[in-house]
Amino acid sequence: MKKIYYGNNEHQFGELRLPEGDGPHPVTVVIHGGFWRSEYGIEQINAVAENLAENGWATWNIEYRRVGHEGGSWPGTLLDVAYAADYVRTLANTYSLQLDNVVTIGHSAGGHLALWLAGRHRLPDSSELHTQDPLKIKSAVSLAGVTDLRLMHKVHDIRNQAVGGEPSNPTADLLGGSPGEVANRYNEASPSALLPLDVHQVLVHGALDVHVPVGISQHYYREAEEFGDFVKLVELPNAEHFMIVDPSTDAWAEILQEMELLK
Protein backbone atom coordinates (compact mmCIF):
# COMPACT_ATOMS: atom_id res chain seq x y z
CA MET A 1 0.00 0.00 0.00
CA LYS A 2 1.27 3.45 -0.93
CA LYS A 3 -0.08 6.64 0.68
CA ILE A 4 -0.08 9.39 -1.94
CA TYR A 5 -1.27 12.99 -1.60
CA TYR A 6 -3.40 14.47 -4.39
CA GLY A 7 -3.53 17.89 -2.65
CA ASN A 8 -1.81 19.96 0.02
CA ASN A 9 -4.27 19.40 2.88
CA GLU A 10 -3.64 16.61 5.40
CA HIS A 11 -6.91 14.96 4.38
CA GLN A 12 -6.25 15.11 0.63
CA PHE A 13 -4.64 11.74 0.09
CA GLY A 14 -5.36 8.26 -1.13
CA GLU A 15 -4.03 4.78 -0.54
CA LEU A 16 -3.02 2.92 -3.68
CA ARG A 17 -3.01 -0.87 -3.65
CA LEU A 18 -1.93 -2.87 -6.68
CA PRO A 19 -2.86 -6.48 -7.45
CA GLU A 20 -0.34 -9.11 -8.44
CA GLY A 21 0.91 -9.07 -12.01
CA ASP A 22 2.26 -6.50 -14.40
CA GLY A 23 -1.06 -4.99 -15.46
CA PRO A 24 -2.44 -2.84 -16.80
CA HIS A 25 -4.98 -3.19 -14.00
CA PRO A 26 -8.64 -2.14 -13.87
CA VAL A 27 -9.08 0.61 -11.28
CA THR A 28 -11.52 1.13 -8.45
CA VAL A 29 -11.85 4.50 -6.73
CA VAL A 30 -12.94 3.41 -3.25
CA ILE A 31 -14.87 5.90 -1.10
CA HIS A 32 -15.73 5.51 2.58
CA GLY A 33 -18.91 6.73 4.22
CA GLY A 34 -19.85 8.08 7.63
CA PHE A 35 -22.44 10.70 6.59
CA TRP A 36 -19.59 12.94 5.37
CA ARG A 37 -18.55 13.62 9.00
CA SER A 38 -14.99 14.23 10.17
CA GLU A 39 -15.05 11.51 12.82
CA TYR A 40 -15.36 8.76 10.20
CA GLY A 41 -12.32 8.18 8.02
CA ILE A 42 -10.65 6.06 5.40
CA GLU A 43 -10.02 3.14 7.77
CA GLN A 44 -13.71 2.23 7.58
CA ILE A 45 -13.29 0.79 4.11
CA ASN A 46 -9.68 -0.45 4.16
CA ALA A 47 -10.79 -4.08 4.22
CA VAL A 48 -12.81 -3.56 1.04
CA ALA A 49 -9.86 -1.91 -0.71
CA GLU A 50 -7.55 -4.73 0.34
CA ASN A 51 -9.98 -7.43 -0.78
CA LEU A 52 -10.57 -5.84 -4.16
CA ALA A 53 -6.79 -5.63 -4.69
CA GLU A 54 -6.54 -9.32 -3.85
CA ASN A 55 -9.13 -9.94 -6.55
CA GLY A 56 -7.37 -8.17 -9.39
CA TRP A 57 -8.24 -4.49 -8.96
CA ALA A 58 -5.92 -1.55 -8.47
CA THR A 59 -7.64 0.30 -5.62
CA TRP A 60 -7.35 4.04 -4.98
CA ASN A 61 -8.92 4.40 -1.53
CA ILE A 62 -9.45 8.13 -1.09
CA GLU A 63 -9.67 10.43 1.90
CA TYR A 64 -11.22 13.89 1.72
CA ARG A 65 -12.17 16.87 3.89
CA ARG A 66 -15.46 16.30 5.64
CA VAL A 67 -18.06 18.09 7.76
CA GLY A 68 -16.16 19.45 10.75
CA HIS A 69 -12.91 19.99 8.85
CA GLU A 70 -11.81 23.42 7.72
CA GLY A 71 -12.72 23.60 4.05
CA GLY A 72 -15.05 20.60 4.28
CA SER A 73 -18.80 20.44 3.58
CA TRP A 74 -19.99 22.41 0.52
CA PRO A 75 -18.16 22.65 -1.82
CA GLY A 76 -14.88 21.30 -0.42
CA THR A 77 -15.96 17.73 0.30
CA LEU A 78 -17.22 17.17 -3.24
CA LEU A 79 -14.33 19.00 -4.89
CA ASP A 80 -11.81 16.91 -2.94
CA VAL A 81 -13.43 13.73 -4.19
CA ALA A 82 -13.40 15.11 -7.73
CA TYR A 83 -9.70 16.02 -7.54
CA ALA A 84 -8.88 12.63 -6.02
CA ALA A 85 -10.63 10.83 -8.87
CA ASP A 86 -8.93 12.94 -11.52
CA TYR A 87 -5.60 12.17 -9.88
CA VAL A 88 -5.90 8.63 -11.24
CA ARG A 89 -4.52 10.06 -14.49
CA THR A 90 -1.39 11.18 -12.63
CA LEU A 91 -1.07 7.76 -10.98
CA ALA A 92 -1.24 6.15 -14.42
CA ASN A 93 1.99 7.95 -15.36
CA THR A 94 3.80 5.76 -12.81
CA TYR A 95 1.65 2.68 -12.38
CA SER A 96 0.13 0.33 -14.97
CA LEU A 97 -3.55 1.28 -14.80
CA GLN A 98 -6.46 0.95 -17.22
CA LEU A 99 -7.77 4.48 -17.59
CA ASP A 100 -10.54 3.15 -19.82
CA ASN A 101 -11.85 0.94 -16.99
CA VAL A 102 -12.25 3.07 -13.86
CA VAL A 103 -15.02 2.02 -11.47
CA THR A 104 -16.15 4.08 -8.50
CA ILE A 105 -17.37 2.14 -5.47
CA GLY A 106 -18.51 3.66 -2.20
CA HIS A 107 -20.42 2.81 0.96
CA SER A 108 -23.25 4.92 2.43
CA ALA A 109 -22.19 8.56 1.98
CA GLY A 110 -19.38 7.12 -0.13
CA GLY A 111 -22.03 5.52 -2.34
CA HIS A 112 -23.46 8.98 -2.89
CA LEU A 113 -20.02 10.24 -3.88
CA ALA A 114 -19.37 7.23 -6.16
CA LEU A 115 -22.50 7.98 -8.18
CA TRP A 116 -21.88 11.72 -8.07
CA LEU A 117 -18.42 11.20 -9.60
CA ALA A 118 -20.07 9.24 -12.40
CA GLY A 119 -22.54 12.05 -13.06
CA ARG A 120 -20.53 15.22 -12.51
CA HIS A 121 -19.85 15.56 -16.24
CA ARG A 122 -23.44 16.81 -16.39
CA LEU A 123 -22.78 19.80 -14.13
CA PRO A 124 -23.14 23.24 -15.72
CA ASP A 125 -19.99 25.31 -16.22
CA SER A 126 -21.39 27.81 -13.72
CA SER A 127 -21.44 25.27 -10.87
CA GLU A 128 -19.04 25.65 -7.93
CA LEU A 129 -18.47 21.91 -8.36
CA HIS A 130 -17.54 22.11 -12.02
CA THR A 131 -14.04 20.94 -12.97
CA GLN A 132 -12.43 20.80 -16.40
CA ASP A 133 -12.31 17.43 -18.18
CA PRO A 134 -13.49 15.11 -15.37
CA LEU A 135 -12.13 11.57 -15.41
CA LYS A 136 -14.41 9.29 -17.37
CA ILE A 137 -16.05 6.68 -15.15
CA LYS A 138 -16.96 3.39 -16.80
CA SER A 139 -19.12 2.02 -13.96
CA ALA A 140 -20.33 3.16 -10.54
CA VAL A 141 -21.19 0.89 -7.62
CA SER A 142 -23.25 2.19 -4.70
CA LEU A 143 -23.20 0.11 -1.51
CA ALA A 144 -26.15 1.24 0.63
CA GLY A 145 -25.59 4.64 -0.93
CA VAL A 146 -27.34 7.94 -0.32
CA THR A 147 -28.46 8.16 -3.93
CA ASP A 148 -31.01 10.95 -3.35
CA LEU A 149 -30.00 13.77 -1.00
CA ARG A 150 -33.50 15.25 -0.82
CA LEU A 151 -34.98 11.94 0.28
CA MET A 152 -32.21 11.42 2.83
CA HIS A 153 -32.82 14.89 4.25
CA LYS A 154 -36.49 14.01 4.66
CA VAL A 155 -35.65 10.69 6.35
CA HIS A 156 -33.54 12.46 8.96
CA ASP A 157 -36.20 15.10 9.55
CA ILE A 158 -38.77 12.38 10.19
CA ARG A 159 -36.41 10.59 12.57
CA ASN A 160 -35.68 13.80 14.44
CA GLN A 161 -39.39 14.47 14.89
CA ALA A 162 -39.97 10.91 16.10
CA VAL A 163 -37.46 11.27 18.91
CA GLY A 164 -38.74 14.73 19.84
CA GLY A 165 -35.44 16.51 19.32
CA GLU A 166 -33.53 18.46 16.71
CA PRO A 167 -30.18 16.73 16.25
CA SER A 168 -28.22 17.75 13.17
CA ASN A 169 -29.30 16.61 9.74
CA PRO A 170 -26.18 15.16 8.02
CA THR A 171 -27.37 16.09 4.54
CA ALA A 172 -28.06 19.68 5.56
CA ASP A 173 -24.68 19.78 7.30
CA LEU A 174 -22.98 18.73 4.06
CA LEU A 175 -24.77 21.22 1.82
CA GLY A 176 -25.29 24.06 4.27
CA GLY A 177 -29.07 23.96 4.47
CA SER A 178 -32.30 22.22 3.61
CA PRO A 179 -33.60 21.60 0.07
CA GLY A 180 -35.79 24.67 0.46
CA GLU A 181 -32.86 26.84 1.53
CA VAL A 182 -30.16 25.73 -0.93
CA ALA A 183 -32.12 24.01 -3.68
CA ASN A 184 -29.44 24.47 -6.31
CA ARG A 185 -26.84 22.69 -4.18
CA TYR A 186 -29.14 19.66 -3.98
CA ASN A 187 -29.54 19.81 -7.77
CA GLU A 188 -25.78 19.72 -8.28
CA ALA A 189 -24.74 17.33 -5.50
CA SER A 190 -27.47 14.67 -5.62
CA PRO A 191 -27.00 11.79 -8.09
CA SER A 192 -30.76 11.57 -8.60
CA ALA A 193 -30.83 15.18 -9.79
CA LEU A 194 -28.05 14.51 -12.32
CA LEU A 195 -29.84 11.64 -14.07
CA PRO A 196 -29.31 10.30 -16.65
CA LEU A 197 -25.68 9.63 -15.77
CA ASP A 198 -25.02 7.65 -18.99
CA VAL A 199 -22.83 5.33 -16.93
CA HIS A 200 -23.32 1.68 -15.97
CA GLN A 201 -24.57 1.63 -12.37
CA VAL A 202 -24.92 -1.12 -9.76
CA LEU A 203 -26.86 -0.46 -6.55
CA VAL A 204 -26.40 -2.91 -3.67
CA HIS A 205 -28.55 -2.50 -0.58
CA GLY A 206 -29.46 -4.63 2.40
CA ALA A 207 -33.13 -4.94 3.26
CA LEU A 208 -32.30 -4.74 6.99
CA ASP A 209 -30.50 -1.38 6.69
CA VAL A 210 -31.70 1.08 9.36
CA HIS A 211 -29.13 3.80 8.55
CA VAL A 212 -29.94 4.33 4.87
CA PRO A 213 -33.34 2.80 4.03
CA VAL A 214 -33.36 0.42 1.08
CA GLY A 215 -36.28 2.43 -0.33
CA ILE A 216 -33.84 5.20 -1.30
CA SER A 217 -32.02 2.85 -3.67
CA GLN A 218 -35.31 1.43 -4.92
CA HIS A 219 -36.60 4.90 -5.75
CA TYR A 220 -33.37 5.86 -7.49
CA TYR A 221 -33.38 2.61 -9.48
CA ARG A 222 -36.84 3.34 -10.86
CA GLU A 223 -35.85 6.90 -11.76
CA ALA A 224 -32.62 5.83 -13.47
CA GLU A 225 -34.46 3.20 -15.49
CA GLU A 226 -37.04 5.75 -16.60
CA PHE A 227 -34.20 7.97 -17.83
CA GLY A 228 -32.79 5.06 -19.81
CA ASP A 229 -29.63 4.49 -17.76
CA PHE A 230 -28.22 0.98 -17.47
CA VAL A 231 -28.78 0.32 -13.78
CA LYS A 232 -28.93 -2.88 -11.72
CA LEU A 233 -30.38 -3.16 -8.22
CA VAL A 234 -29.13 -5.99 -5.99
CA GLU A 235 -31.24 -6.26 -2.85
CA LEU A 236 -29.79 -8.45 -0.10
CA PRO A 237 -32.67 -9.68 2.09
CA ASN A 238 -30.52 -10.65 5.09
CA ALA A 239 -28.00 -7.81 5.11
CA GLU A 240 -27.81 -4.66 7.21
CA HIS A 241 -25.80 -1.50 6.62
CA PHE A 242 -22.28 -2.61 7.53
CA MET A 243 -22.44 -6.25 6.46
CA ILE A 244 -21.96 -5.28 2.81
CA VAL A 245 -18.48 -3.87 3.49
CA ASP A 246 -17.32 -6.85 5.54
CA PRO A 247 -15.31 -9.18 3.26
CA SER A 248 -16.05 -12.14 5.54
CA THR A 249 -19.80 -12.10 4.75
CA ASP A 250 -21.94 -13.74 2.09
CA ALA A 251 -23.15 -10.25 1.19
CA TRP A 252 -19.65 -9.21 0.18
CA ALA A 253 -19.24 -12.41 -1.83
CA GLU A 254 -22.23 -11.32 -3.93
CA ILE A 255 -20.69 -7.89 -4.43
CA LEU A 256 -17.44 -9.48 -5.59
CA GLN A 257 -19.41 -11.37 -8.23
CA GLU A 258 -20.84 -8.08 -9.47
CA MET A 259 -17.36 -6.56 -9.55
CA GLU A 260 -16.04 -9.44 -11.64
CA LEU A 261 -18.63 -8.55 -14.28
CA LEU A 262 -17.22 -5.01 -14.47
CA LYS A 263 -13.62 -6.00 -15.22
Side-chain angles (χ1 to χ4, degrees):
M1 185 272 286
K2 299 176 179 67
K3 182 177 180 178
I4 302 170
Y5 282 84
Y6 63 85
N8 296 322
N9 185 273
E10 63 178 315
H11 303 293
Q12 293 174 325
F13 69 89
E15 295 176 350
L16 179 67
R17 293 173 171 86
L18 298 174
E20 293 184 359
D22 295 332
H25 307 293
V27 181
T28 55
V29 179
V30 182
I31 315 169
H32 73 81
F35 278 126
W36 314 280
R37 290 171 168 162
S38 60
E39 56 262 42
Y40 303 107
I42 195 171
E43 65 282 349
Q44 288 194 98
I45 207 163
N46 279 346
V48 164
E50 291 169 359
N51 192 269
L52 287 171
E54 291 168 1
N55 283 276
W57 293 90
T59 63
W60 177 230
N61 186 15
I62 62 172
E63 189 56 285
Y64 49 94
R65 290 173 296 173
R66 304 176 296 286
V67 176
H69 291 144
E70 183 178 355
S73 306
W74 174 278
T77 293
L78 291 118
L79 286 175
D80 279 7
V81 171
Y83 297 146
D86 290 343
Y87 198 78
V88 170
R89 291 194 186 105
T90 301
L91 295 174
N93 292 330
T94 304
Y95 305 98
S96 187
L97 307 177
Q98 295 178 18
L99 288 179
D100 60 348
N101 189 10
V102 178
V103 177
T104 57
I105 179 169
H107 176 239
S108 194
H112 153 249
L113 294 167
L115 290 178
W116 179 79
L117 282 174
R120 68 185 171 115
H121 63 278
R122 291 180 47 80
L123 290 169
D125 291 351
S126 59
S127 171
E128 288 184 72
L129 304 180
H130 179 265
T131 54
Q132 291 292 333
D133 190 26
L135 179 71
K136 183 175 177 58
I137 304 302
K138 184 177 180 182
S139 305
V141 181
S142 168
L143 308 177
V146 184
T147 55
D148 188 320
L149 295 182
R150 284 185 170 87
L151 270 181
M152 196 70 236
H153 183 278
K154 184 181 295 186
V155 167
H156 280 286
D157 268 358
I158 292 170
R159 288 176 178 172
N160 292 347
Q161 292 168 10
V163 299
E166 294 187 2
S168 66
N169 187 307
T171 311
D173 292 342
L174 173 69
L175 299 185
S178 69
E181 294 166 332
V182 288
N184 201 50
R185 294 184 180 184
Y186 282 79
N187 292 339
E188 296 179 0
S190 182
S192 61
L194 294 173
L195 288 168
L197 306 190
D198 299 321
V199 170
H200 182 117
Q201 300 157 64
V202 180
L203 316 174
V204 183
H205 218 123
L208 306 181
D209 196 323
V210 297
H211 297 276
V212 180
V214 66
I216 289 182
S217 283
Q218 293 168 339
H219 180 77
Y220 179 90
Y221 170 74
R222 291 191 295 269
E223 282 190 317
E225 274 209 320
E226 288 173 5
F227 275 104
D229 270 352
F230 185 92
V231 59
K232 181 177 183 179
L233 175 61
V234 180
E235 290 189 46
L236 303 175
N238 300 313
E240 49 78 55
H241 191 65
F242 296 101
M243 193 178 294
I244 60 178
V245 286
D246 180 349
S248 70
T249 65
D250 291 340
W252 177 250
E254 290 195 47
I255 294 166
L256 267 187
Q257 291 176 14
E258 296 296 329
M259 294 300 293
E260 280 297 313
L261 298 175
L262 301 181
K263 278 184 178 175

